[in-house]
Amino acid sequence: MSPTRTLFLILILAVSARPAHAQQRDSAEALKRLSLDELMNVEVMSVSRRPERLFETPSAIQVITQDDIHKSGATSLPEALRLASNLQVAQVDARQWAISARGLNGTTANKLLVLIDGRTVYTPLFSGVFWDVQDVLLSDIDRIEVISGPGATLWGANAVNGVINVITKDAKDTKGLLVTGGGGTELAGFGSARYGGALGTHANYRIYGKGFSRNPTLLPNGRGAPDAWHMGQGGLRVDWDASASNRLSLYGDWYDGRSAQVSPGHIGVSGGNVIAKWAHPISAKSEVSAQAYYDHTHRNIPGTFGEDLDIYDIEVQHRAAVAARHDVVWGGGYRLINDRVGNTAGVAFLPAHVARQWFTAFAQDEIALAQERLHVTLGAKVEHNDYTGFEVQPSGRLNWTIRPSRTLWAAISRAVRTPSRIDRELFVPAQPPFFLAGGPNFRSETMLAYELGYRHQQGALVLSLATFYNRYHGLRSLEQANPPNPAPLVLANGQDGESYGGEATASYRITDNWQVRAGYTELRIHIWPNPGSTDTTRGATESHTPDRQLSLRSSLQLGAQWSLDGGFRYFSEIANQQVPAYTEVDARIGWQPAAALELSLAGQNLLHDHHTEFGTLTARRGIERGVYGMVQWHH
């Protein structure tokens, strides 16, 4: 008998032993599930680093709730991010994803800042995210706050085109045992277990473990690609209310995975992190908080390179209401990275071992005017890095509550993308004569953003609109070191650019049990060489983004036991990669025969046998239709 069938029988037998208090807890959890219109009144943290109503935030922000993730059938964090229509999410192969906001997307996208429970997910190799190792137990996520547009004033360099903030549940909200298992065609097998409980009267904890195995995608010739992969992960969280005015939290995760590739060997990834947080409320409108974390990652790509990276980070923040009209948040931080690269003959980072430091300080003041219907927010972040020295990232935001159900907002911001090791220290091959070399004088890329948005709520209808214009300076270019000779090429800041467009989302509750949601994005990007530049790519190496995308989602509750959810998405072509436009549909049906047990069947990419989402013609992968079944039991 297969492991999935065995798990299924065990869960069925366990239902009869389910205590009454667990069923009561499920009812309480059901009441916490928010409809999309109610979501406009939830509090978010990512825009101002303090709680505020989503409807009143002066930013283009969307929130993905736990209920959204559960009903979507997503099995990984990148799949869950597809639920935010203000992101461009493309699956590259079985392991890799390209994710960005407002364009400039790629497998090494470097203008999106990602946080998981306050820990910045970042690699100094290319100032971006390795998405294959960013995983959490999806059932532990409380919400994901997604900002399209700059957030650099509070979050710092690389928060240029957007911010993703993944926030997991408090340990007190995950008590008991949760077991999940399943498998199917593309997601061959997966399973997880989580247990939470109390430590005395003032502390709670949870521990978890999970693992999965994914089948390979398709090569352009229709054969299976050498990219099948598997990974295991575990972790813990402890929350301790030490007193009425002190709260301590401790988080930790570890992971280990392997992915196939063409010889000489499999790709290996492993790592772990630990985060400590302290919060000290002084009053209802004043709080001091601090956090520190250590993050270790190991990556070995035989034949290409290997890396061991250690990041140490500490940050302190104070928020206070000053007088009657000012809400001030300020703080500072320090980060140290220790990066060791194992070079090969084909690719080298020189020097192979570096230690880099960042110092940061920020302040922001929200000023209430006109009987608190008008709010002006002014702020700036100052950073110092070892590459370019001091960088200043200011912003000004305006929020006007026209009526309780109508909000107009506007913003002007400056953001920077600081140099990465690729920009300064990459050499191909490892010995001269080089074909490609990092630029010793590469400076930060900068962006000035102008935004205007509007939110409207009328009964069961919620509408949100945002428009933007971004002006980029000093974008990365490939310059001929000795023109007209085509080689060597040196990385420099020889390009400027602009992007503009609009984002629209709408949600409507048709009945108490049926709600629909739509999202549409229109985007244009133009990149050009500056005088004296020899780069002829016009941004083709920096931006692989469709001009428009459309998403539709439906969530239907059929009685007390059945649910039916579906999603449609359309992406226009990625012209500079010759990736054709595509449409796809995902669907999930769930059956809850008892309060303790849920069975579900999900289908992904149901319209086609396979399609392509990203990549050049010779390197692209076909993403196949997938179906999987899942069993979930909790006690």
Side-chain angles (χ1 to χ4, degrees):
M1 183 178 292
S2 69
T4 301
R5 292 181 179 178
T6 302
L7 178 62
F8 178 82
L9 291 177
I10 292 173
L11 298 183
I12 291 291
L13 293 173
V15 172
S16 61
R18 180 170 171 76
H21 72 82
Q23 298 182 28
Q24 293 171 357
R25 185 175 66 245
D26 289 341
S27 298
E29 287 297 317
L31 292 175
K32 295 179 183 179
R33 295 180 177 179
L34 300 174
S35 65
L36 292 172
D37 53 333
E38 294 167 334
L39 184 59
M40 301 305 288
N41 290 312
V42 304
E43 292 184 337
V44 295
M45 296 286 294
S46 301
V47 177
S48 301
R49 281 190 179 243
R50 63 170 181 79
E52 61 181 335
R53 288 183 63 224
L54 185 151
F55 195 78
E56 297 174 350
T57 56
S59 179
I61 182 172
Q62 296 185 26
V63 175
I64 304 169
T65 68
Q66 168 58 218
D67 197 41
D68 294 333
I69 297 171
H70 179 73
K71 291 181 177 181
S72 72
T75 60
S76 67
L77 182 57
E79 288 179 3
L81 293 177
R82 287 194 191 275
L83 300 174
S85 61
N86 56 349
L87 290 178
Q88 290 88 47
V89 180
Q91 186 173 357
V92 180
D93 56 28
R95 177 179 62 89
Q96 298 183 94
W97 294 76
I99 301 176
S100 188
R102 294 185 177 173
L104 300 178
N105 199 11
T107 54
T108 57
N110 53 29
K111 295 176 179 60
L112 178 70
L113 188 71
V114 181
L115 302 104
I116 300 179
D117 282 328
R119 174 175 58 92
T120 300
V121 178
Y122 170 85
T123 173
L125 282 180
F126 60 89
S127 298
V129 178
F130 280 120
W131 283 104
D132 55 353
V133 295
Q134 310 312 325
D135 202 4
V136 293
L137 192 63
L138 293 185
S139 57
D140 283 352
I141 294 177
D142 179 68
R143 66 189 186 277
I144 304 174
E145 299 178 3
V146 179
I147 298 172
S148 53
T153 296
L154 293 180
W155 301 110
N158 300 93
V160 177
N161 282 359
V163 177
I164 296 174
N165 192 2
V166 181
I167 302 169
T168 64
K169 298 177 181 177
D170 194 290
K172 71 177 186 297
D173 297 324
T174 54
K175 293 181 179 179
L177 177 65
L178 174 70
V179 180
T180 302
T185 56
E186 297 309 299
L187 182 59
F190 62 93
S192 66
R194 181 197 73 204
Y195 185 79
L199 294 171
T201 57
H202 299 290
N204 295 278
Y205 74 95
R206 69 166 173 260
I207 57 174
Y208 78 91
K210 61 174 295 187
F212 67 84
S213 177
R214 288 189 179 272
N215 287 328
T217 54
L218 292 179
L219 291 170
N221 60 13
R223 297 180 179 178
D227 61 3
W229 91 295
H230 62 272
M231 191 169 80
Q233 182 166 315
L236 61 85
R237 172 170 177 161
V238 179
D239 294 309
W240 178 33
D241 293 311
S243 66
S245 58
N246 287 285
R247 177 180 173 83
L248 300 173
S249 296
L250 181 68
Y251 313 69
D253 302 280
W254 63 267
Y255 61 86
D256 186 84
R258 296 292 182 273
S259 175
Q261 69 165 357
V262 179
S263 60
H266 288 182
I267 298 170
V269 294
S270 61
N273 61 81
V274 60
I275 311 171
K277 293 185 178 183
W278 169 70
H280 175 65
I282 300 172
S283 68
K285 293 186 177 182
S286 180
E287 181 181 82
V288 176
S289 61
Q291 77 166 25
Y293 68 80
Y294 165 71
D295 193 346
H296 171 76
T297 60
H298 168 78
R299 181 175 297 267
N300 181 36
I301 307 178
T304 304
F305 84 104
E307 182 193 28
D308 283 280
L309 172 65
D310 295 291
I311 298 179
Y312 307 84
D313 189 283
I314 186 169
E315 184 178 81
V316 178
Q317 173 183 306
H318 179 218
R319 178 221 166 187
V322 180
R325 296 183 178 272
H326 298 265
D327 202 322
V328 178
V329 58
W330 64 280
Y334 170 76
R335 178 180 297 169
L336 169 67
I337 67 163
N338 194 355
D339 193 31
R340 300 170 299 279
V341 174
N343 294 320
T344 63
V347 178
F349 289 85
L350 301 175
H353 176 205
V354 298
R356 305 290 189 208
Q357 299 182 90
W358 281 262
F359 298 88
T360 66
F362 67 91
Q364 180 169 282
D365 183 13
E366 181 179 322
I367 308 165
L369 304 171
Q371 298 179 341
E372 298 198 356
R373 291 178 57 191
L374 183 66
H375 290 76
V376 177
T377 303
L378 303 174
K381 186 157 192 169
V382 179
E383 292 187 314
H384 184 277
N385 68 79
D386 288 344
Y387 287 119
T388 61
F390 286 99
E391 301 284 0
V392 181
Q393 300 176 90
S395 71
R397 295 183 178 271
L398 176 70
N399 188 70
W400 178 27
T401 305
I402 304 171
R403 295 181 182 178
S405 61
R406 299 179 186 180
T407 298
L408 181 69
W409 62 270
I412 302 176
S413 311
R414 182 182 188 268
V416 304
R417 200 277 293 182
T418 55
S420 65
R421 295 205 65 187
I422 282 181
D423 301 316
R424 290 279 189 110
E425 299 156 3
L426 173 68
F427 294 88
V428 181
Q431 300 291 332
F434 301 117
F435 171 74
L436 175 65
N441 299 316
F442 193 95
R443 63 185 188 276
S444 295
E445 301 175 336
T446 65
M447 185 263 278
L448 190 61
Y450 305 86
E451 300 177 273
L452 181 66
Y454 175 73
R455 294 188 180 93
H456 181 88
Q457 184 172 7
Q458 186 70 41
L461 174 66
V462 177
L463 178 66
S464 180
L465 303 172
T467 61
F468 61 91
Y469 175 80
N470 298 333
R471 183 68 166 86
Y472 299 92
H473 296 275
L475 293 176
R476 184 162 57 195
S477 62
L478 296 173
E479 304 292 344
Q480 297 173 3
N482 302 303
N485 297 325
L489 296 174
V490 177
L491 297 177
N493 300 93
Q495 299 186 114
D496 283 359
E498 64 180 4
S499 66
Y500 53 90
E503 301 161 350
T505 62
S507 65
Y508 185 71
R509 180 174 289 279
I510 299 173
T511 69
D512 289 342
N513 297 319
W514 186 14
Q515 59 186 19
V516 294
R517 183 177 186 177
Y520 180 76
T521 297
E522 187 78 21
L523 173 67
R524 295 292 183 273
I525 299 175
H526 303 290
I527 299 176
W528 57 86
N530 289 322
S533 173
T534 59
D535 191 305
T536 59
T537 65
R538 302 191 69 84
T541 60
E542 294 297 300
S543 180
H544 308 294
T545 308
D547 286 344
R548 62 187 61 86
Q549 62 189 62
L550 170 69
S551 65
L552 302 170
R553 296 203 62 83
S554 169
S555 180
L556 177 62
Q557 187 69 35
L558 300 170
Q561 296 182 330
W562 292 88
S563 61
L564 179 62
D565 298 88
F568 165 89
R569 67 182 186 274
Y570 164 79
F571 283 79
S572 65
E573 68 170 339
I574 302 177
N576 56 18
Q577 286 189 330
Q578 297 182 341
V579 174
Y582 80 91
T583 58
E584 276 299 353
V585 167
D586 302 330
R588 176 187 179 274
I589 185 168
W591 177 43
Q592 194 168 5
L597 178 68
E598 184 181 32
L599 311 177
S600 61
L601 181 66
Q604 298 174 321
N605 306 314
L606 295 175
L607 293 184
H608 305 92
D609 291 336
H610 66 274
H611 70 276
T612 299
E613 297 186 11
F614 202 84
T616 60
L617 186 60
T618 57
R620 67 183 52 163
R621 299 289 185 261
I623 311 302
E624 296 183 84
R625 176 188 295 125
V627 178
Y628 73 86
M630 185 174 74
V631 182
Q632 182 170 284
W633 176 77
H634 51 104
H635 176 76

